[in-house]
């Protein structure tokens, strides 16, 4: 399902999603046989490009788990997820019961379905875990939550040409081959202390890892495999991306649920080639 801008919308809500800048990203992505995403998140770039092959990776097991179940079970899994999207489940007591069940279950299929439920019912669509690996986002208090059927169906169609793997960015980039194109959307460098401890997975993505990513991107480009990286524009990122072609712009941040608190921030797309 597409919007008026002809954007294929992800079925997952995602802080830092790339729908607002997908046109800029597509303009810079080189042609190639395979798209590789080491930080896939809600997979906006995958959904809005048409590479023949796609390697969609992330260290977040829950993201890859739900993608894999949709790829393998298709409509059957969609219907399994639908049962959680009833008005009676859009209330705090039910939410925290399901969140507890999600954190305790070893059933991957159930966990995948509950991940979709939590993603749509939790505060601002955040995906956050505590130091023990437990999902800890609070209830979102939405008046109505709609089951994203059409967006899921679109994902199922696109998933025919994809491989989904749980893998860290280092292995994902180092395993790339000639003809591949890599797009990296790492957890952004913090602009202030308030978001410097955000836990997308159990461990924080450190500044040393930001530097490692930039180094690997340069090494990949030296082998003829282009890499496009998105991030906040700061003195730090300008320094670590100094050997790349930089495209700088401003975008309104959407991490706040209050419109009057969504300020513009400077971003950068760094193309190593």
């Amino acid at each position: 399902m597409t919007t008026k801008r002809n954007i294929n919308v992800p079925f997952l809500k995602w802080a830092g999603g790339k729908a607002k800048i997908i046109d800029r990203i597509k303009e810079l992505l080189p042609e190639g046989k395979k798209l590789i995403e080491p930080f896939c998140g809600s997979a906006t770039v995958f959904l809005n490009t048409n590479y023949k092959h796609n390697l969609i990776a992330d260290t977040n097991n829950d993201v890859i788990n739900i993608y894999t179940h949709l790829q393998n079970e298709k409509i059957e899994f969609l219907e399994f997820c639908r049962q959680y999207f009833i008005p009676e489940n859009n209330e705090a007591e039910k939410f925290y019961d399901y969140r507890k069940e999600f954190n305790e279950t070893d059933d991957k299929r159930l966990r995948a379905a509950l991940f979709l439920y939590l993603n749509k019912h939790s505060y601002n669509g955040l995906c956050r875990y505590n130091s023990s690996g437990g999902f800890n986002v609070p209830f979102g208090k939405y008046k109505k939550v709609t089951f994203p059927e059409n967006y899921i169906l679109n994902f199922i169609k696109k998933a025919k040409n994809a491989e989904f793997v749980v893998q860290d960015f280092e292995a994902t980039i180092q395993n790339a081959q000639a003809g591949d194109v890599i797009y990296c959307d790492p957890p952004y460098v913090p602009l202030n202390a308030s978001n410097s401890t955000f836990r997308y997975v159990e461990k924080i993505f450190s500044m040393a890892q930001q530097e490692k990513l930039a180094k690997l991107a340069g090494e990949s480009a030296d082998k003829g495999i282009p890499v496009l990286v998105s991030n906040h524009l700061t003195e730090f990122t300008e320094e670590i991306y100094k050997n790349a072609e930089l495209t700088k712009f401003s975008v309104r941040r959407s991490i706040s649920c209050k419109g009057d608190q969504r300020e513009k921030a400077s971003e950068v797309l760094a193309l190593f080639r």
Side-chain angles (χ1 to χ4, degrees):
M1 184 174 181
T2 60
T3 65
K4 292 180 180 179
R5 287 176 57 209
N6 293 319
I7 294 174
N8 290 317
V9 179
F11 67 86
L12 291 176
K13 295 172 68 175
W14 210 257
K18 292 295 169 281
K20 292 180 180 178
I21 64 169
I22 187 61
D23 291 337
R24 292 180 181 272
I25 292 170
K26 289 171 66 175
E27 287 176 1
L28 293 172
L29 277 173
E31 294 182 357
K33 297 179 181 178
K34 180 194 288 185
L35 173 68
I36 296 177
E37 285 200 66
F39 308 86
C40 68
S42 62
T44 301
V45 175
F46 158 62
L47 290 170
N48 286 279
T49 51
N50 293 297
Y51 290 88
K52 186 176 181 180
H53 304 288
N54 300 269
L55 177 64
I56 308 303
D58 209 293
T59 53
N60 187 314
N61 287 273
D62 293 316
V63 170
I64 300 301
N65 185 39
I66 191 171
Y67 290 168
T68 301
H69 274 86
L70 283 170
Q71 184 183 52
N72 293 338
E73 296 187 45
K74 302 177 177 64
I75 302 301
E76 183 179 349
F77 184 68
L78 180 152
E79 294 301 332
F80 180 65
C81 293
R82 191 195 300 274
Q83 66 182 301
Y84 296 99
F85 287 77
I86 57 176
E88 293 82 356
N89 286 343
N90 187 26
E91 54 118 51
E93 184 177 357
K94 277 289 189 180
F95 174 86
Y96 290 112
D97 285 344
Y98 282 135
R99 194 180 74 172
K100 183 175 185 292
E101 185 176 11
F102 172 82
N103 285 329
E104 294 177 352
T105 186
D106 293 324
D107 185 327
K108 290 185 177 181
R109 190 171 191 255
L110 174 60
R111 188 174 172 98
L114 289 175
F115 182 70
L116 178 62
Y117 165 84
L118 292 173
N119 175 262
K120 292 299 184 180
H121 291 80
S122 61
Y123 175 76
N124 218 28
L126 291 175
C127 182
R128 186 187 65 197
Y129 303 81
N130 60 29
S131 58
S132 300
F135 189 91
N136 66 352
V137 183
F139 181 52
K141 299 181 182 179
Y142 299 110
K143 291 182 179 180
K144 182 180 180 181
V145 178
T146 303
F147 183 61
E149 179 174 1
N150 290 330
Y151 300 139
I152 292 175
L153 290 172
N154 184 61
F155 180 89
I156 290 172
K157 292 178 183 178
K158 290 286 292 185
K160 295 176 182 178
N161 299 319
E163 176 185 1
F164 301 101
V165 296
V166 177
Q167 187 169 259
D168 67 53
F169 72 92
E170 294 184 42
T172 304
I173 294 174
Q174 289 173 338
N175 291 336
Q177 304 292 322
D180 295 344
V181 175
I182 303 173
Y183 170 67
C184 295
D185 182 30
Y188 276 19
V189 169
L191 292 175
N192 53 60
S194 66
N195 63 357
S196 62
T197 57
F198 175 77
R199 292 182 182 274
Y200 167 63
V201 289
E202 291 88 338
K203 296 182 180 180
I204 297 171
F205 198 78
S206 68
M207 302 300 264
Q209 287 173 298
Q210 298 279 1
E211 292 179 307
K212 179 66 174 179
L213 173 58
K215 181 175 182 293
L216 288 173
E219 292 173 352
S220 178
D222 290 341
K223 295 187 291 185
I225 304 168
V227 182
L228 182 65
V229 186
S230 57
N231 215 319
H232 279 142
L233 177 62
T234 67
E235 291 182 2
F236 175 77
T237 54
E238 281 198 282
E239 173 61 26
I240 64 174
Y241 300 154
K242 63 185 178 183
N243 294 323
E245 300 169 20
L246 304 185
T247 299
K248 305 173 186 179
F249 54 95
S250 294
V251 65
R252 191 172 298 282
R253 292 187 291 173
S254 58
I255 192 65
S256 172
C257 65
K258 297 181 180 180
D260 59 358
Q261 293 180 11
R262 299 185 182 187
E263 299 177 351
K264 286 191 175 182
S266 295
E267 297 209 10
V268 63
L269 289 169
L271 178 58
F272 294 82
R273 62 179 175 180

Short mmCIF file of all heavy atoms in Angstrom, two decimals, residues 122-154:
data_model
loop_
_atom_site.label_atom_id
_atom_site.label_comp_id
_atom_site.label_asym_id
_atom_site.label_seq_id
_atom_site.Cartn_x
_atom_site.Cartn_y
_atom_site.Cartn_z
N SER A 122 2.15 0.44 21.89
CA SER A 122 3.06 1.05 22.86
C SER A 122 3.28 2.54 22.55
O SER A 122 2.96 3.03 21.47
CB SER A 122 4.41 0.33 22.88
OG SER A 122 5.04 0.39 21.61
N TYR A 123 3.86 3.23 23.50
CA TYR A 123 4.04 4.67 23.41
C TYR A 123 4.89 5.07 22.21
O TYR A 123 6.05 4.68 22.07
CB TYR A 123 4.71 5.19 24.69
CG TYR A 123 5.06 6.65 24.66
CD1 TYR A 123 4.07 7.62 24.83
CD2 TYR A 123 6.37 7.07 24.45
CE1 TYR A 123 4.38 8.97 24.81
CE2 TYR A 123 6.70 8.42 24.43
CZ TYR A 123 5.69 9.36 24.60
OH TYR A 123 6.01 10.70 24.57
N ASN A 124 4.27 5.80 21.29
CA ASN A 124 4.97 6.42 20.16
C ASN A 124 5.67 5.44 19.23
O ASN A 124 6.58 5.81 18.49
CB ASN A 124 5.97 7.46 20.66
CG ASN A 124 6.03 8.68 19.76
OD1 ASN A 124 5.05 9.01 19.09
ND2 ASN A 124 7.16 9.35 19.72
N GLY A 125 5.28 4.17 19.29
CA GLY A 125 5.89 3.19 18.40
C GLY A 125 7.34 2.89 18.71
O GLY A 125 8.08 2.42 17.84
N LEU A 126 7.76 3.14 19.95
CA LEU A 126 9.16 2.90 20.30
C LEU A 126 9.45 1.42 20.41
O LEU A 126 8.59 0.62 20.77
CB LEU A 126 9.50 3.58 21.64
CG LEU A 126 9.54 5.10 21.66
CD1 LEU A 126 9.77 5.60 23.08
CD2 LEU A 126 10.66 5.60 20.75
N CYS A 127 10.68 1.05 20.10
CA CYS A 127 11.17 -0.31 20.31
C CYS A 127 12.38 -0.18 21.24
O CYS A 127 13.46 0.23 20.81
CB CYS A 127 11.57 -0.96 18.99
SG CYS A 127 12.14 -2.66 19.17
N ARG A 128 12.16 -0.53 22.51
CA ARG A 128 13.19 -0.29 23.50
C ARG A 128 13.23 -1.45 24.49
O ARG A 128 12.19 -2.00 24.85
CB ARG A 128 12.90 1.02 24.25
CG ARG A 128 13.98 1.48 25.22
CD ARG A 128 13.48 2.68 26.00
NE ARG A 128 12.35 2.32 26.86
CZ ARG A 128 11.52 3.21 27.40
NH1 ARG A 128 11.67 4.50 27.14
NH2 ARG A 128 10.53 2.80 28.19
N TYR A 129 14.45 -1.80 24.90
CA TYR A 129 14.64 -2.90 25.83
C TYR A 129 15.47 -2.44 27.03
O TYR A 129 16.30 -1.56 26.90
CB TYR A 129 15.36 -4.06 25.14
CG TYR A 129 14.66 -4.58 23.91
CD1 TYR A 129 14.79 -3.93 22.68
CD2 TYR A 129 13.87 -5.72 23.97
CE1 TYR A 129 14.16 -4.40 21.55
CE2 TYR A 129 13.24 -6.21 22.83
CZ TYR A 129 13.38 -5.54 21.63
OH TYR A 129 12.74 -6.01 20.51
N ASN A 130 15.25 -3.09 28.17
CA ASN A 130 16.08 -2.78 29.33
C ASN A 130 17.38 -3.58 29.28
O ASN A 130 17.61 -4.35 28.33
CB ASN A 130 15.32 -3.02 30.64
CG ASN A 130 14.86 -4.46 30.80
OD1 ASN A 130 15.50 -5.39 30.29
ND2 ASN A 130 13.77 -4.66 31.53
N SER A 131 18.22 -3.42 30.29
CA SER A 131 19.53 -4.07 30.28
C SER A 131 19.44 -5.60 30.34
O SER A 131 20.41 -6.28 30.03
CB SER A 131 20.38 -3.55 31.44
OG SER A 131 19.73 -3.79 32.68
N SER A 132 18.28 -6.11 30.72
CA SER A 132 18.09 -7.57 30.78
C SER A 132 17.47 -8.11 29.50
O SER A 132 17.21 -9.32 29.38
CB SER A 132 17.20 -7.93 31.98
OG SER A 132 17.81 -7.52 33.19
N GLY A 133 17.19 -7.22 28.55
CA GLY A 133 16.61 -7.64 27.28
C GLY A 133 15.10 -7.64 27.27
O GLY A 133 14.49 -8.10 26.31
N GLY A 134 14.47 -7.10 28.32
CA GLY A 134 13.01 -7.06 28.36
C GLY A 134 12.44 -5.83 27.69
O GLY A 134 12.93 -4.72 27.90
N PHE A 135 11.43 -6.03 26.85
CA PHE A 135 10.74 -4.90 26.21
C PHE A 135 10.08 -4.07 27.30
O PHE A 135 9.32 -4.59 28.11
CB PHE A 135 9.69 -5.44 25.23
CG PHE A 135 9.06 -4.40 24.35
CD1 PHE A 135 9.61 -4.09 23.11
CD2 PHE A 135 7.90 -3.73 24.74
CE1 PHE A 135 9.03 -3.14 22.29
CE2 PHE A 135 7.32 -2.78 23.93
CZ PHE A 135 7.88 -2.49 22.70
N ASN A 136 10.35 -2.77 27.34
CA ASN A 136 9.88 -1.97 28.47
C ASN A 136 9.19 -0.66 28.08
O ASN A 136 9.10 0.26 28.89
CB ASN A 136 11.04 -1.68 29.43
CG ASN A 136 12.11 -0.78 28.82
OD1 ASN A 136 12.08 -0.47 27.62
ND2 ASN A 136 13.08 -0.35 29.63
N VAL A 137 8.69 -0.57 26.86
CA VAL A 137 7.97 0.63 26.44
C VAL A 137 6.57 0.62 27.07
O VAL A 137 5.90 -0.41 27.07
CB VAL A 137 7.86 0.70 24.91
CG1 VAL A 137 7.16 2.00 24.48
CG2 VAL A 137 9.23 0.60 24.27
N PRO A 138 6.11 1.75 27.61
CA PRO A 138 4.79 1.79 28.25
C PRO A 138 3.64 1.83 27.25
O PRO A 138 3.84 2.02 26.05
CB PRO A 138 4.84 3.07 29.08
CG PRO A 138 5.80 3.95 28.35
CD PRO A 138 6.85 3.02 27.80
N PHE A 139 2.45 1.66 27.76
CA PHE A 139 1.21 1.69 26.98
C PHE A 139 1.04 3.05 26.30
O PHE A 139 1.29 4.10 26.88
CB PHE A 139 0.03 1.41 27.91
CG PHE A 139 -1.31 1.38 27.23
CD1 PHE A 139 -1.53 0.58 26.12
CD2 PHE A 139 -2.36 2.15 27.73
CE1 PHE A 139 -2.78 0.54 25.51
CE2 PHE A 139 -3.61 2.12 27.12
CZ PHE A 139 -3.82 1.31 26.01
N GLY A 140 0.58 3.04 25.06
CA GLY A 140 0.50 4.26 24.27
C GLY A 140 -0.75 5.09 24.43
O GLY A 140 -0.80 6.24 24.03
N LYS A 141 -1.82 4.52 24.97
CA LYS A 141 -3.08 5.24 25.21
C LYS A 141 -3.68 5.81 23.93
O LYS A 141 -4.11 6.97 23.88
CB LYS A 141 -2.86 6.37 26.23
CG LYS A 141 -2.38 5.90 27.59
CD LYS A 141 -2.21 7.08 28.54
CE LYS A 141 -1.68 6.61 29.89
NZ LYS A 141 -1.48 7.75 30.83
N TYR A 142 -3.72 5.02 22.86
CA TYR A 142 -4.32 5.47 21.61
C TYR A 142 -5.84 5.24 21.66
O TYR A 142 -6.31 4.24 22.19
CB TYR A 142 -3.73 4.69 20.43
CG TYR A 142 -2.24 4.89 20.26
CD1 TYR A 142 -1.35 3.84 20.53
CD2 TYR A 142 -1.72 6.10 19.85
CE1 TYR A 142 0.02 4.01 20.38
CE2 TYR A 142 -0.35 6.28 19.71
CZ TYR A 142 0.51 5.23 19.97
OH TYR A 142 1.86 5.40 19.84
N LYS A 143 -6.58 6.16 21.07
CA LYS A 143 -8.03 6.01 21.04
C LYS A 143 -8.44 4.80 20.20
O LYS A 143 -9.39 4.09 20.53
CB LYS A 143 -8.68 7.28 20.47
CG LYS A 143 -8.57 8.50 21.38
CD LYS A 143 -9.29 9.69 20.76
CE LYS A 143 -9.20 10.90 21.69
NZ LYS A 143 -9.90 12.08 21.10
N LYS A 144 -7.70 4.57 19.13
CA LYS A 144 -8.03 3.44 18.25
C LYS A 144 -6.75 2.93 17.62
O LYS A 144 -5.88 3.72 17.23
CB LYS A 144 -9.01 3.88 17.16
CG LYS A 144 -9.44 2.77 16.23
CD LYS A 144 -10.43 3.28 15.18
CE LYS A 144 -10.86 2.16 14.24
NZ LYS A 144 -11.82 2.65 13.20
N VAL A 145 -6.61 1.63 17.51
CA VAL A 145 -5.45 1.01 16.86
C VAL A 145 -5.97 0.14 15.71
O VAL A 145 -6.81 -0.73 15.91
CB VAL A 145 -4.63 0.15 17.84
CG1 VAL A 145 -3.47 -0.51 17.11
CG2 VAL A 145 -4.11 1.00 18.99
N THR A 146 -5.46 0.40 14.53
CA THR A 146 -5.91 -0.32 13.33
C THR A 146 -4.93 -1.42 12.96
O THR A 146 -3.71 -1.20 12.96
CB THR A 146 -6.06 0.66 12.15
OG1 THR A 146 -6.98 1.69 12.52
CG2 THR A 146 -6.57 -0.06 10.91
N PHE A 147 -5.43 -2.56 12.62
CA PHE A 147 -4.59 -3.66 12.16
C PHE A 147 -4.02 -3.31 10.79
O PHE A 147 -4.78 -3.00 9.86
CB PHE A 147 -5.40 -4.95 12.08
CG PHE A 147 -4.61 -6.15 11.67
CD1 PHE A 147 -3.54 -6.59 12.44
CD2 PHE A 147 -4.92 -6.85 10.51
CE1 PHE A 147 -2.81 -7.71 12.08
CE2 PHE A 147 -4.19 -7.97 10.14
CZ PHE A 147 -3.13 -8.40 10.93
N PRO A 148 -2.69 -3.33 10.61
CA PRO A 148 -2.06 -2.85 9.36
C PRO A 148 -2.07 -3.89 8.23
O PRO A 148 -1.03 -4.21 7.66
CB PRO A 148 -0.64 -2.52 9.81
CG PRO A 148 -0.36 -3.53 10.87
CD PRO A 148 -1.67 -3.71 11.62
N GLU A 149 -3.22 -4.40 7.90
CA GLU A 149 -3.33 -5.51 6.96
C GLU A 149 -2.71 -5.20 5.60
O GLU A 149 -1.92 -5.99 5.07
CB GLU A 149 -4.79 -5.92 6.77
CG GLU A 149 -4.98 -7.06 5.79
CD GLU A 149 -6.41 -7.55 5.73
OE1 GLU A 149 -7.27 -7.00 6.45
OE2 GLU A 149 -6.67 -8.49 4.97
N ASN A 150 -3.09 -4.08 5.00
CA ASN A 150 -2.60 -3.77 3.64
C ASN A 150 -1.10 -3.57 3.61
O ASN A 150 -0.43 -3.97 2.64
CB ASN A 150 -3.31 -2.54 3.09
CG ASN A 150 -4.77 -2.81 2.77
OD1 ASN A 150 -5.14 -3.93 2.43
ND2 ASN A 150 -5.60 -1.80 2.89
N TYR A 151 -0.55 -2.98 4.67
CA TYR A 151 0.90 -2.78 4.73
C TYR A 151 1.62 -4.12 4.88
O TYR A 151 2.70 -4.32 4.32
CB TYR A 151 1.26 -1.86 5.89
CG TYR A 151 0.63 -0.49 5.81
CD1 TYR A 151 0.12 0.13 6.95
CD2 TYR A 151 0.55 0.20 4.59
CE1 TYR A 151 -0.46 1.40 6.88
CE2 TYR A 151 -0.02 1.45 4.51
CZ TYR A 151 -0.53 2.05 5.66
OH TYR A 151 -1.09 3.30 5.58
N ILE A 152 1.02 -5.02 5.64
CA ILE A 152 1.61 -6.36 5.80
C ILE A 152 1.56 -7.13 4.48
O ILE A 152 2.52 -7.80 4.11
CB ILE A 152 0.88 -7.14 6.91
CG1 ILE A 152 1.16 -6.50 8.28
CG2 ILE A 152 1.32 -8.60 6.92
CD1 ILE A 152 0.37 -7.13 9.42
N LEU A 153 0.45 -7.03 3.78
CA LEU A 153 0.33 -7.72 2.49
C LEU A 153 1.39 -7.22 1.51
O LEU A 153 1.96 -8.01 0.74
CB LEU A 153 -1.07 -7.51 1.91
CG LEU A 153 -2.21 -8.23 2.63
CD1 LEU A 153 -3.56 -7.79 2.08
CD2 LEU A 153 -2.06 -9.76 2.48
N ASN A 154 1.64 -5.93 1.51
CA ASN A 154 2.67 -5.37 0.64
C ASN A 154 4.05 -5.91 1.01
O ASN A 154 4.86 -6.23 0.15
CB ASN A 154 2.66 -3.85 0.72
CG ASN A 154 3.64 -3.21 -0.24
OD1 ASN A 154 3.54 -3.36 -1.45
ND2 ASN A 154 4.62 -2.51 0.30
#
